[in-house]
Amino acid sequence: MNALIDLARAHRVAAVLLFLLVFPFLMPYEALSVNILIFGLYAVGFNLLFGYTGMLSFGHAAFLGVGSYLAGIAVVNGGWPWWAAILLGVFSAALVGVVMGYMAIRTRGIYFSMVTLALAQIIYYVFYKAEGWTGGENGLRGVKVESINLPGISIDFINPLNKYYVILFFVALALWFISRVLNSPFGAVIESIRENEKRASACGYDVARAKLLVFVLSAAICGLAGTLRALHLSVVPIDSLHYLQSGQAVMMCLLGGMGTFFGPFVGAAVFLYLEDVVTNLTRYWMGAVGLVFMVFVLFFPKGIWGTLLEQVERWQQRQLEKEEGV
């Protein structure tokens, strides 16, 4: 058992992807699993900044929305192919991340959170007013990608199961990239910033540059989630940029377990599954989800996945103590 747990930790990307390969067959319908996959990626991007670096942003909807809108505009107005639209969306979100991050990292704590919220609301207002490009409050419509054409093969993108596995390919690339970042010396730097920023600075690390870089990387991952959401929905709703969307990233991250690799996906799955079930019972689904969130914050502060990992570590420690006693 210990060997299996250690193997999963050593190859965490492969372990996550093995689960995600069968995940759509565990859900009531494929469209829900696609939503969980996309928002799980969104939460992973947010977790890179919040969970691993300790910087709480209330403006990450800006990156999700910018990625969605720029990819959608490229397809609708520019006639770009789907892959070029994805690249444009990710690059645009990263560019917005550079601008927002440059201004936001000059502050700390709650001031950082409020600055990111204010900047995100400015971006929301800009896109809301640019009706000729974005559709205003009606959103951008007509982002149609009916097939994914690759050399020698054409994939029906309308089929929900096909759509899930196409999106999973991009999620896999993002997870591999994030894992490489976290396992690199830079990953150690951002975690040291989370633990003690002043000590990290005293050790000679360029804290400001590291914070800006992780902010941009987080923005790019969230932008990728936004582009995939636009292709999935075929529309880009204006609420993609709304501050409530930023709040969802915080809730998903805390529900699953901030600072854990798989926790954001668990949080996204719980949040969206509860939303799907409770909305069939009452229109006050946000109240029910809020109660669940409060329970976990009060009694399971490390989140679902974080608490599970803690219990596994305790079990391993007890097993080790028994072996040493023998």
Side-chain angles (χ1 to χ4, degrees):
M1 185 65 178
N2 282 332
L4 184 62
I5 293 172
D6 292 337
L7 182 64
R9 284 175 175 167
H11 302 282
R12 57 186 177 183
V13 176
V16 171
L17 292 180
L18 282 174
F19 174 77
L20 292 178
L21 281 172
V22 300
F23 182 68
F25 304 103
L26 305 177
M27 290 290 102
Y29 49 92
E30 290 88 350
L32 178 59
S33 61
V34 173
N35 280 333
I36 291 173
L37 192 62
I38 292 171
F39 277 94
L41 179 62
Y42 173 46
V44 164
F46 174 78
N47 188 49
L48 183 63
L49 184 70
F50 178 44
Y52 286 102
T53 317
M55 301 165 65
L56 177 57
S57 166
F58 287 153
H60 261 52
F63 312 127
L64 181 78
V66 167
S68 294
Y69 268 110
L70 268 294
I73 290 171
V75 171
V76 175
N77 297 330
W80 289 29
W82 61 270
W83 57 268
I86 290 176
L87 291 177
L88 177 64
V90 173
F91 176 78
S92 301
L95 186 60
V96 172
V98 172
V99 177
M100 284 182 59
Y102 181 77
M103 291 185 281
I105 63 169
R106 299 169 181 270
T107 58
R108 296 179 182 177
I110 190 62
Y111 301 104
F112 173 84
S113 302
M114 292 297 101
V115 168
T116 55
L117 175 60
L119 293 172
Q121 285 302 103
I122 293 173
I123 294 172
Y124 172 87
Y125 184 77
V126 169
F127 277 79
Y128 183 83
K129 287 297 182 180
E131 294 186 22
W133 290 92
T134 66
E137 65 179 353
N138 295 320
L140 180 66
R141 302 180 182 277
V143 190
K144 295 181 180 179
V145 178
E146 297 181 352
S147 62
I148 300 294
N149 297 313
L150 301 173
I153 186 174
S154 179
I155 302 172
D156 179 13
F157 196 65
I158 297 178
N159 183 291
L161 197 59
N162 290 348
K163 183 183 294 185
Y164 177 88
Y165 287 112
V166 170
I167 291 175
L168 180 59
F169 171 77
F170 291 98
V171 172
L173 291 178
L175 290 177
W176 172 82
F177 174 75
I178 291 173
S179 180
R180 294 284 294 179
V181 169
L182 295 176
N183 289 334
S184 69
F186 178 71
V189 171
I190 62 175
E191 290 193 43
S192 69
I193 293 173
R194 178 192 63 191
E195 298 301 323
N196 194 318
E197 184 177 330
K198 291 183 178 179
R199 183 174 296 177
S201 180
C203 290
Y205 297 125
D206 190 337
V207 171
R209 185 171 64 178
K211 288 166 71 173
L212 178 59
L213 180 55
V214 75
F215 195 97
V216 174
L217 292 177
S218 177
I221 298 299
C222 293
L224 175 60
T227 64
L228 297 174
R229 186 173 186 240
L231 299 183
H232 164 52
L233 297 177
S234 297
V235 298
V236 182
I238 189 62
D239 65 5
S240 299
L241 288 160
H242 200 269
Y243 65 86
L244 290 178
Q245 208 71 263
S246 297
Q248 284 189 4
V250 178
M251 290 184 69
M252 291 173 182
C253 191
L254 290 176
L255 275 175
M258 66 177 187
T260 62
F261 192 73
F262 187 56
F265 279 101
V266 175
V270 171
F271 183 90
L272 294 176
Y273 186 79
L274 280 175
E275 178 185 352
D276 184 73
V277 171
V278 178
T279 48
N280 293 324
L281 303 176
T282 175
R283 60 178 179 173
Y284 302 109
W285 67 270
M286 294 186 70
V289 174
L291 287 174
V292 172
F293 180 72
M294 287 175 60
V295 168
F296 276 95
V297 168
L298 291 174
F299 301 104
F300 304 97
K302 293 187 177 181
I304 299 170
W305 189 249
T307 301
L308 180 60
L309 290 179
E310 184 181 46
Q311 295 303 316
V312 169
E313 289 176 359
R314 289 180 179 178
W315 179 82
Q316 285 185 307
Q317 184 63 33
R318 288 196 296 269
Q319 293 296 111
L320 183 61
E321 291 173 355
K322 287 181 182 180
E323 292 177 1
E324 291 177 349
V326 173

